[in-house]
Amino acid sequence: MNDIRTRRVHPGVLALAVTSFAIGVAEFVVVGILPAIAGDLKVSLDRAGELVGLYALALAVGTPLVVLALARFPRKPVLLGLVAVFLAGNLLSAMSVDYASLLVGRMVTAVAHGSFFAIGATVAAGLAPRDQASRAIAIMFSGLTLAMVIGVPLGSILGNGMGWRLPFFAVAALAALALAATAWWLPSMPAPRVGRMSAQLAALGQPSILAMMCVTVLGFGSSFAAFTFITPILTGLTGFSSTTASVLLVVFGAATLVGNLAGGRFASSLGWQPALRLLFALLGAALAVIGLTLSYPLPMVVMLFIWGVLAFGMSPGVQAAMLETAERDAPQAVDFASGLNISSFNLGISLGETVGGALVAHGHLGLTPWAGVVSVVAAQAPLAWMGARARRAGAIGDMA
């Protein structure tokens, strides 16, 4: 009976998962409605793509700063405030009258997004028994993955069929539901004990932390030169209709769910370093095949699934790597390092969108997968450095 109770999910974790779902839709639904936004606001496709890249950049820069600023406040009011800001950002996006106001709405949403995940992950862990902490975090993050499977494709279909503003209004409604669930289900939690800000910031001076950030930026970001423009790729190069392209995002979304679950087990059984080396090599090969088969519908459907599995299969290994690195080299700043990892994911998205946007602006949409190949190959260098460093540290420990 006691075992059943310890396995029961705290309703506060479910409230966090609802917000996670809304955030996932808000971040990636733009990918599915990019041509519609560009056409309605009369901006170029590459400029519309900045709604993805600049969102990620604002998230990457803002998250560590906001996490540091809110570190000493009680968790429940902090999370309620972040969800409220997220809701306001989506309403601003939905009611924007031009590109500039839409971009401002996206920036507001982005800052709330990153800070929510950095703080919410520690709250989810605190709501579970010690041996169930990782399960609670996984349930919270499952909302993000489900957004890729359900929310983003559905939002794309609605946005392309009934106007691009509708998905933003829908996300705002989800945020209102998440706000009510958080207020009702999340218990009051005291502010955590944290070290001085200088001790937190010192983590940025650790070469291993910086190297791990490079691994995340180059590895995870490698997919986004092409993925940011996946709808125009599928419609303009592969020949699918916009409705079929939106439905095909379900294929990619389902693959991310499979990849996230399989990647966690893979990294646990093999170790995060060899797992990431293999995943990076396979992702590079998959992006190369995509670059060669852009005009062939059936191979593209198959490769979309393989791409999604590999692109998101690396996430658990990268997260485990950053936490292990921080616990060893910056134990006073593990939470801050978690925030830096979220920043790195989104710096990767921003880098990918910037490179992809430059290619699109010069009429080279078909080269965007090859930019990803270069990026993921480059990620092997800092990963190899970390592996060599770990082997040297192990050899010195054995001699001692």
Side-chain angles (χ1 to χ4, degrees):
M1 191 72 174
N2 289 336
D3 182 62
I4 293 174
R5 278 197 295 266
T6 59
R7 292 182 178 276
R8 190 172 297 157
V9 179
H10 192 288
V13 176
L14 299 179
L16 297 173
V18 173
T19 308
S20 174
F21 179 83
I23 285 175
V25 177
E27 181 172 20
F28 292 118
V29 74
V30 170
V31 171
I33 56 176
L34 209 59
I37 292 174
D40 186 54
L41 298 182
K42 296 178 175 57
V43 297
S44 63
L45 191 61
D46 60 291
R47 193 177 183 207
E50 292 176 358
L51 295 169
V52 177
L54 292 179
Y55 181 102
L57 183 61
L59 194 158
V61 173
T63 295
L65 299 176
V66 174
V67 169
L68 284 174
L70 299 178
R72 300 182 185 279
F73 292 93
R75 304 290 84 182
K76 182 172 181 176
V78 163
L79 289 175
L80 285 170
L82 290 172
V83 177
V85 171
F86 174 78
L87 191 162
N90 279 283
L91 283 178
L92 180 57
S93 297
M95 295 185 291
S96 57
V97 295
D98 53 26
Y99 178 82
S101 56
L102 176 57
L103 187 58
V104 170
R106 293 286 288 168
M107 299 301 99
V108 171
T109 303
V111 173
H113 168 167
S115 307
F116 174 85
F117 272 109
I119 295 170
T122 61
V123 170
L127 291 174
R130 189 172 185 84
D131 63 342
Q132 295 290 313
S134 59
R135 177 171 174 257
I137 294 173
I139 291 170
M140 173 190 163
F141 276 82
S142 68
L144 185 63
T145 312
L146 283 173
M148 293 291 291
V149 181
I150 302 171
V152 172
L154 181 58
S156 298
I157 292 170
L158 292 175
N160 287 310
M162 302 175 65
W164 62 265
R165 300 174 192 276
L166 184 59
F168 290 108
F169 279 117
V171 170
L174 282 172
L177 176 63
L179 189 65
T182 302
W184 184 259
W185 282 335
L186 196 69
S188 297
M189 302 180 73
R193 294 182 179 181
V194 295
R196 293 180 299 174
M197 188 173 293
S198 59
Q200 303 277 320
L201 292 172
L204 282 170
Q206 286 289 339
S208 58
I209 297 290
L210 295 175
M212 194 59 234
M213 291 176 69
C214 287
V215 171
T216 304
V217 169
L218 294 170
F220 188 75
S222 63
S223 290
F224 284 86
F227 183 68
T228 300
F229 302 98
I230 189 62
T231 297
I233 286 173
L234 292 174
T235 55
L237 299 181
T238 314
F240 291 113
S241 68
S242 60
T243 300
T244 303
S246 296
V247 172
L248 285 175
L249 289 178
V250 176
V251 174
F252 190 90
T256 65
L257 181 60
V258 173
N260 192 52
L261 295 173
R265 293 186 178 183
F266 188 51
S268 296
S269 61
L270 196 62
W272 61 262
Q273 288 190 36
L276 289 178
R277 281 197 296 270
L278 181 57
L279 286 170
F280 286 173
L282 292 173
L283 179 59
L287 288 170
V289 172
I290 289 169
L292 294 170
T293 59
L294 287 175
S295 59
Y296 300 97
L298 183 57
M300 273 297 290
V301 173
V302 175
M303 292 311 300
L304 272 177
F305 186 83
I306 295 173
W307 180 16
V309 169
L310 295 172
F312 282 75
M314 71 177 71
S315 299
V318 168
Q319 291 166 351
M322 177 59 91
L323 291 176
E324 182 180 307
T325 302
E327 287 168 357
R328 183 185 64 240
D329 297 336
Q332 78 287 359
V334 174
D335 286 347
F336 182 58
S338 176
L340 290 176
N341 200 38
I342 291 173
S343 293
S344 299
F345 278 111
N346 288 277
L347 281 172
I349 294 172
S350 182
L351 175 64
E353 180 278 324
T354 300
V355 173
L359 290 170
V360 170
H362 289 85
H364 300 304
L365 180 62
L367 293 181
T368 52
W370 295 101
V373 174
V374 174
S375 180
V376 78
V377 169
Q380 295 279 14
L383 185 61
W385 179 84
M386 294 189 70
R389 184 176 182 272
R391 287 192 294 272
R392 286 195 301 270
I396 293 172
D398 291 341
M399 291 174 63

